[in-house]
Amino acid sequence: MSEDRALAQAAKIVRGSTEPTNKPTIAGFFDEATHTISYVVHDAATSRAAIIDSVLDFDPAAGRIGYASATRIIDYVTERDLRVDWVIETHAHADHLSAAPYLQDRLGGELAIGREIVRVQEVFGKIFNAGTDFQRDGSQFDLLFDDGDTFQIGSLEAVALHVPGHTPADMAYVIGDAAFVGDTIFMPDFGTARTDFPGGDARQLFRSIRRLLSLPGETRLFLCHDYKAPGREFYAWETTVAEQRERNVHVKDGVSEDDFVEMRTNRDRKLAMPELILPSVQVNIRGGRLPDPEDNGVSYIRIPVNAI
Ligand SMILES: [Fe+2]
């Protein structure tokens, strides 16, 4: 097998991040409505920050958006006088709308996602019958990360890893000794992300997860979702590579790819679609912006019938 340079670079960054001064400071913001965790990651030395996977509140019954989740992040950033360099998405989420452009307007930073978002735009652009004014080239974002791309948050080193499977475009971001793994793996007692959305692939997800789990055992993993788990009464979103390898109920060491694919595929058949999938994807493939208002000044979110 050819050398995985991007992963080697990520492992090097983790191993080099042993001092309190070069570990990122991380705050998780849990959104109970969608079970999503958004993060503010910052470098204590320079006060430079990244926001990962923010949430825009949405009440589907009323068709109304809200800013309470985004405001918590703005308050946190403002109180600490942080300067936001990055507003990053791990993928085009299917269960919540992104607040990335709202936050970017107020706090600055570059809006970034994985390069393969163009494939998600292609698939869902068709499903929503989006016109030619909807560009399927990722131009709604400031930067598209390729596997192995490096970036900085102040003096913290970071690398983007392409980890497809849940969607074709999923990325994980290794920042210092922490990895933000999006929807790949969940807490060890819960397992892994679903792979039944358009473009999802269980075999790919297994390989992406095993790739992440070959980072050093001490790597801190920060998850995008938590749903509790049988016997656990509290939400949790931080674990380590070593814990996952030892205990993850779907992908601990020793589980074969074929066994995982069979389990994942069977389980996905029983899952209902997330309540907000249609609004979320429609907005998130536009970089978190609502579709353009119609001639009455109102934006509409469409529901395709029998299309997914
Ligand atoms: Fe997701």
Side-chain angles (χ1 to χ4, degrees):
M1 208 174 110
S2 63
E3 190 197 359
D4 185 341
R5 285 205 196 145
L7 193 74
Q9 175 69 17
K12 194 173 153 206
I13 291 172
V14 171
R15 289 203 187 92
S17 179
T18 50
E19 305 300 321
T21 48
N22 62 18
K23 283 184 195 283
T25 304
I26 298 165
F29 298 83
F30 185 70
D31 174 46
E32 188 133 23
T34 64
H35 298 94
T36 303
I37 303 98
S38 307
Y39 295 98
V40 176
V41 186
H42 81 266
D43 173 26
T46 61
S47 296
R48 299 297 183 115
I51 298 168
I52 302 177
D53 289 335
S54 60
V55 172
L56 188 68
D57 308 318
F58 183 64
D59 173 354
R64 185 161 292 280
I65 55 176
Y67 302 102
S69 296
T71 302
R72 282 199 292 165
I73 289 180
I74 292 172
D75 289 349
Y76 177 89
V77 165
T78 313
E79 280 160 19
R80 284 159 188 77
D81 215 7
L82 304 180
R83 178 144 157 219
V84 174
D85 286 340
W86 299 100
V87 183
I88 303 176
E89 300 287 314
T90 54
H91 64 295
H93 304 276
D95 49 29
H96 66 271
L97 280 63
S98 166
Y102 180 80
L103 292 170
Q104 189 186 30
D105 284 350
R106 281 149 189 83
L107 300 171
E110 303 254 304
L111 176 54
I113 198 165
R115 165 93 46 204
E116 297 295 314
I117 187 67
V118 297
R119 288 182 52 197
V120 180
Q121 290 179 324
E122 194 59 52
V123 169
F124 280 99
K126 281 196 189 112
I127 290 173
F128 291 113
N129 200 22
T132 47
D133 58 323
F134 173 59
Q135 301 292 321
R136 292 145 163 94
D137 57 3
S139 57
Q140 299 84 350
F141 300 86
D142 300 314
L143 184 73
L144 301 179
F145 283 122
D146 285 308
D147 187 64
D149 280 353
T150 54
F151 58 105
Q152 301 272 134
I153 303 169
S155 59
L156 298 173
E157 286 186 85
V159 62
L161 298 174
H162 182 216
V163 287
H166 171 64
T167 78
D170 277 58
M171 302 299 287
Y173 301 102
V174 175
I175 302 170
D177 68 327
F180 297 85
V181 298
D183 289 6
T184 51
I185 201 163
F186 294 136
M187 287 302 281
D189 55 3
F190 191 87
T192 57
R194 65 196 295 175
T195 56
D196 58 329
F197 298 152
D201 185 319
R203 201 162 288 281
Q204 243 181 3
L205 181 66
F206 182 84
R207 291 175 189 178
S208 292
I209 290 173
R210 293 310 308 183
R211 187 174 181 225
L212 287 171
L213 296 188
S214 56
L215 287 166
E218 69 272 21
T219 311
R220 294 186 285 164
L221 301 182
F222 291 87
L223 318 178
C224 187
H225 293 293
D226 187 58
Y227 307 91
K228 298 181 180 166
R232 172 157 60 83
E233 289 305 313
F234 55 92
Y235 291 110
W237 48 80
E238 180 181 348
T239 170
T240 64
V241 163
E243 279 174 7
Q244 295 282 17
R245 292 184 63 158
E246 195 187 319
R247 292 209 303 273
N248 187 286
V249 291
H250 294 171
V251 284
K252 65 184 173 205
D253 285 358
V255 175
S256 75
E257 183 171 310
D258 286 342
D259 285 350
F260 173 80
V261 169
E262 192 186 339
M263 177 284 304
R264 191 65 264 174
T265 310
N266 288 335
R267 196 179 155 94
D268 287 347
R269 279 197 198 105
K270 296 178 201 130
L271 297 175
M273 279 290 142
E275 188 189 359
L276 295 181
I277 183 170
L278 294 167
S280 301
V281 173
Q282 219 162 145
V283 168
N284 294 340
I285 58 175
R286 291 177 164 81
R289 292 173 196 90
L290 294 169
D292 286 340
E294 298 193 1
D295 55 12
N296 60 357
V298 177
S299 286
Y300 288 81
I301 287 175
R302 311 175 75 190
I303 305 289
V305 176
N306 294 337
I308 64 165

